[in-house]
Amino acid sequence: MNQKDLFPYQASFDVWCTHVNKLNQLSIDMINSVLFNFWNYHVANAVGDIDIKNIKVSDVNDYLTQLDVHEHLKTRTINKYISYIRKYFTFLTQAHLIDSYPLVGLKGISYQRRTTVVINWMNDLPNMLNLGLHPETIKLLLLISLGYTPKELLKVRWLEIAEHIHNSGLKAYIVKNLNFTKTPNPFIFQKQNGDGPIATNESFMRAVRLDRDILPLDLSISKLRQSYILSYVSNSNLTDQYLMTRLKLSSKRLAYYKMCVSYYNLISYKQKAR
């Protein structure tokens, strides 16, 4: 990012707004102010590498939640901000500065108020074995339920989790769907020949997506991680210190998820699955 830019590619974005969108300087300054705030919020709250290419629709939704719940902005104002952010990512896409437009699923704030998150599904994982799910889906749900973050999934090996699987049926299922021919300690997400871990999350997510109509859960990795976290944060009997340790959260991220508890419509898995 240019040192003079308030956010990535600001100078090029300003030129695009002027010559392609024919916006006046006042409008551009207003948009830039919103994008500056959005980028600062993302930098302060992002998990992992901070790169404009890694922005997802969930990151923008987090920012909208902040504007609505914490800053108490009006719905009309927030929706105007959404249009500015969409314009920025349209520019980035058209200029080939990011790989693809990431905000296809972004909706206005009135939609966000009705967002439902299914929580407390972890104890029902053994019962899900009877639903005909792909093994990759069961593995993903298991690792998320054990607290692993999206970046840790491909690093997890059998002996690391074996003693933490307390249901005999679930443990037997995982053993059945691992290849122990080359090692007694295979990766949970391994290559078909058992020779090391698969390269990317996308390699197993293709199978997981096939099960999205079977479970009343959003099976994207980030949403499963979110529902796992909110299952704990919504429990008022748990202390902040316990939550930060158990969920691997900073105090700032814990405060954010506490805000989400009051913002989202949380429904238990059993209630949703009826």
Side-chain angles (χ1 to χ4, degrees):
M1 188 169 79
N2 189 307
Q3 291 184 347
K4 294 183 179 180
D5 287 348
L6 299 176
F7 50 85
Y9 305 110
Q10 181 200 347
S12 299
F13 176 65
D14 287 355
V15 172
W16 182 79
C17 286
T18 301
H19 297 288
V20 177
N21 282 258
K22 308 300 181 183
L23 298 180
N24 60 40
Q25 191 58 49
L26 181 61
S27 296
I28 294 174
D29 289 344
M30 187 179 302
I31 295 172
N32 284 347
S33 176
V34 172
L35 294 176
F36 174 63
N37 288 335
F38 165 69
W39 182 247
N40 277 349
Y41 177 84
H42 177 67
V43 169
N45 293 280
V47 177
D49 296 335
I50 299 172
D51 190 325
I52 195 65
K53 293 182 179 180
N54 296 332
I55 294 285
K56 302 180 293 295
V57 68
S58 58
D59 298 314
V60 178
N61 282 333
D62 287 351
Y63 176 62
L64 301 181
T65 300
Q66 167 73 11
L67 297 178
D68 183 30
V69 177
H70 187 68
E71 299 185 25
H72 307 295
L73 296 188
K74 295 180 179 179
T75 300
R76 182 172 60 183
T77 300
I78 295 175
N79 285 332
K80 184 182 297 184
Y81 285 15
I82 292 174
S83 69
Y84 295 162
I85 294 172
R86 282 197 182 110
K87 186 181 296 292
Y88 174 57
F89 280 96
T90 296
F91 155 72
L92 294 175
T93 305
Q94 292 181 359
H96 304 291
L97 297 171
I98 58 176
D99 297 329
S100 60
Y101 183 72
L103 306 184
V104 173
L106 183 65
K107 305 293 183 180
I109 194 65
S110 59
Y111 171 85
Q112 292 300 316
R113 292 182 192 279
R114 296 193 297 273
T115 296
T116 295
V117 178
V118 178
I119 61 173
N120 296 327
W121 50 267
M122 294 82 74
N123 290 336
D124 279 272
L125 186 51
N127 298 326
M128 297 179 193
L129 298 178
N130 302 318
L131 300 178
L133 300 169
H134 288 79
E136 289 81 359
T137 302
I138 296 295
K139 291 178 183 179
L140 173 60
L141 291 169
L142 173 62
L143 295 191
I144 294 293
S145 74
L146 292 176
Y148 290 100
T149 66
K151 287 194 171 184
E152 296 171 331
L153 295 176
L154 301 185
K155 303 175 184 177
V156 184
R157 306 181 77 145
W158 168 244
L159 294 180
E160 184 180 339
I161 67 169
E163 64 181 27
H164 300 295
I165 306 175
H166 303 300
N167 180 274
S168 59
L170 180 57
K171 180 176 284 190
Y173 180 91
I174 298 299
V175 170
K176 180 181 177 181
N177 287 282
L178 291 177
N179 185 343
F180 290 89
T181 58
K182 295 188 177 181
T183 173
N185 189 26
F187 289 92
I188 301 304
F189 289 110
Q190 61 188 153
K191 296 177 181 177
Q192 284 189 338
N193 62 5
D195 188 16
I198 59 177
T200 66
N201 289 342
E202 180 59 27
S203 299
F204 67 80
M205 282 305 297
R206 284 192 287 268
V208 172
R209 293 189 190 101
L210 298 175
D211 293 333
R212 58 191 174 190
D213 294 329
I214 299 177
L215 290 173
L217 293 170
D218 186 328
L219 293 178
S220 65
I221 297 174
S222 61
K223 290 300 184 181
L224 283 176
R225 171 70 177 170
Q226 179 193 61
S227 67
Y228 166 78
I229 291 174
L230 294 180
S231 297
Y232 282 92
V233 176
S234 61
N235 186 342
S236 59
N237 294 321
L238 302 178
T239 66
D240 286 0
Q241 188 57 52
Y242 173 85
L243 291 171
M244 286 188 288
T245 302
R246 176 66 185 249
L247 304 175
K248 305 173 187 175
L249 297 176
S250 65
S251 57
K252 180 180 293 186
R253 290 302 289 172
L254 177 58
Y256 164 74
Y257 282 113
K258 284 188 171 184
M259 180 175 66
C260 288
V261 167
S262 62
Y263 183 79
Y264 292 126
N265 178 33
L266 303 182
I267 296 181
S268 70
Y269 174 81
K270 287 184 177 180
Q271 180 182 353
K272 186 72 174 179
R274 288 175 184 171

